[in-house]
Amino acid sequence: MVEKYKKEVANDVVFNLEYNSERQRLLIPEYGRHLQKLIDQATIIEDAETRNKAAKYIIQVMGSLNPHLRDVPDFQHKLWDQLFIMSDFKLDVESPYPIPSRDVLQLKPDVLQYPQNFPKYRFYGNNIKYMIDVANKWEEGEMKNALVLVIANHMKKSYLSWNKDTVKDDVIFEHLFELSGGKINLLQSTEELLNTTDLLRTNKRMSNKITPPGQPKIQSNKNNKGPGKPKPFQKNNNQK
C-alpha cells in the first residue's frame, strides 16, 4: 500500500497539532496562511520559468480575493509589491513593476508637529487668543472697537460657562489687557458688557440639557380628563 494512503494513528494526529502560536508570523494576515504557504513554496522553486508561472498564478489568486479593487488604478502594482513583501523579499521573479526594497518599506514618516498651546486662562479657549491677535493688527477705528467689544462679550460668556457666578466687567477687561500684551486697554473705558443674566440665559438656551424652543413638553396627567384616563374604582353599596 502506498505510504500516503495509510491511515494515520489518531494519537499521532492529536499530539502533532499545529497551533497558531507555534506558526510563523504572517506578514500580511489579510491574505491568510494558505496563500503565505503558496508564496513560500514558490520561493524555493529552482527553475526560473516555473517560479515565474507560480508567481503569476499567486497574483491571480490575490486578485480574486479582492474583486472590488480590480478597477482601482495601480492595483496590479500593489499586488506585486505585497507578493514580494510576503516572501520577505526572497522571491526571485520577473516583475512588470519596480521591485520594492526592505529599506523603503521600513522608512518612517516625519513626525507631525502638532501645535501645543497652553493658555493661562483655559476657559477662554485658543480661539479667543487668535481673535485678540487679529484685533491687534487692525487699525484704530470703529471696526476695531466693535471687534474688541465682541471679543470682550464672548470672553464674559465663556467665563460664565465655566464659572457659574457673576463676574465684573473689570475682570474681563484685565484679562483682555493681559492677553493682548497691553495693546487693548479698556480698563478706563465706560463701555458696559452684556448683562450677566442675559448671558446665562443664552448659555442655558444653547445647552443640550434644556428643551429646545418649539418642542412640546410632556404634560402631567394629573388634571387630564381625556378618554384615555382610567376611572377610579368605586364600591357599589347596593351589591349583596
Side-chain angles (χ1 to χ4, degrees):
M1 188 175 180
V2 183
E3 184 68 24
K4 65 177 181 179
Y5 293 112
K6 288 184 179 180
K7 186 177 181 180
E8 297 179 350
V9 182
N11 292 333
D12 295 342
V13 175
V14 173
F15 288 107
N16 293 322
L17 288 176
E18 188 178 12
Y19 295 95
N20 286 333
S21 59
E22 299 175 352
R23 293 175 176 175
Q24 185 180 1
R25 185 179 67 87
L26 295 177
L27 298 177
I28 304 181
E30 290 80 2
Y31 287 105
R33 189 167 297 278
H34 294 294
L35 189 62
Q36 181 66 51
K37 290 183 177 180
L38 280 176
I39 297 175
D40 295 340
Q41 293 177 4
T43 304
I44 60 177
I45 296 177
E46 297 181 357
D47 184 46
E49 184 177 358
T50 306
R51 191 167 57 249
N52 283 302
K53 289 182 180 180
K56 294 180 181 178
Y57 171 75
I58 294 173
I59 290 295
Q60 294 179 0
V61 175
M62 294 171 65
S64 63
L65 295 176
N66 299 279
H68 60 285
L69 296 177
R70 291 178 180 175
D71 298 332
V72 177
D74 298 334
F75 176 60
Q76 291 291 326
H77 191 181
K78 179 180 180 181
L79 292 181
W80 280 96
D81 290 346
Q82 291 177 342
L83 176 64
F84 288 109
I85 293 173
M86 294 176 67
S87 67
D88 199 18
F89 302 97
K90 297 177 182 179
L91 184 61
D92 185 13
V93 294
E94 296 178 1
S95 173
Y97 305 97
I99 300 177
S101 61
R102 191 188 303 273
D103 297 335
V104 175
L105 183 65
Q106 294 178 351
L107 287 177
K108 296 182 178 180
D110 298 333
V111 179
L112 184 61
Q113 299 296 334
Y114 288 96
Q116 301 293 335
N117 296 324
F118 302 98
K120 181 178 181 180
Y121 306 106
R122 295 190 176 184
F123 45 84
Y124 290 138
N126 293 324
N127 291 333
I128 286 291
K129 187 64 173 67
Y130 298 151
M131 295 171 64
I132 293 175
D133 294 339
V134 172
N136 287 333
K137 299 177 182 178
W138 283 21
E139 296 181 357
E140 298 293 335
E142 295 182 0
M143 293 292 294
K144 182 176 180 179
N145 295 334
L147 177 61
V148 170
L149 190 60
V150 169
I151 294 174
N153 281 305
H154 192 72
M155 290 173 62
K156 186 174 183 179
K157 184 172 67 173
S158 300
Y159 188 99
L160 294 173
S161 297
W162 292 94
N163 303 275
K164 299 299 181 180
D165 199 355
T166 58
V167 56
K168 295 182 178 180
D169 295 348
D170 296 341
V171 177
I172 302 299
F173 293 157
E174 290 177 1
H175 292 170
L176 182 59
F177 180 79
E178 182 179 357
L179 294 176
S180 64
K183 297 180 180 180
I184 301 178
N185 188 357
L186 298 179
L187 297 177
Q188 305 299 329
S189 176
T190 58
E191 291 285 350
E192 293 184 1
L193 301 180
L194 294 178
N195 191 7
T196 301
T197 306
D198 297 336
L199 291 175
L200 289 176
R201 187 183 299 113
T202 303
N203 291 340
K204 289 182 179 180
R205 190 183 302 116
M206 297 301 294
S207 176
N208 57 359
K209 296 181 181 179
I210 304 300
T211 305
Q215 181 176 346
K217 298 183 179 180
I218 300 176
Q219 300 293 337
S220 177
N221 293 328
K222 182 177 181 180
N223 298 323
N224 186 9
K225 298 182 180 180
K229 182 179 179 181
K231 297 181 180 180
F233 175 76
Q234 295 181 357
K235 184 178 180 181
N236 191 355
N237 297 326
N238 297 327
Q239 291 182 355
K240 295 181 180 180

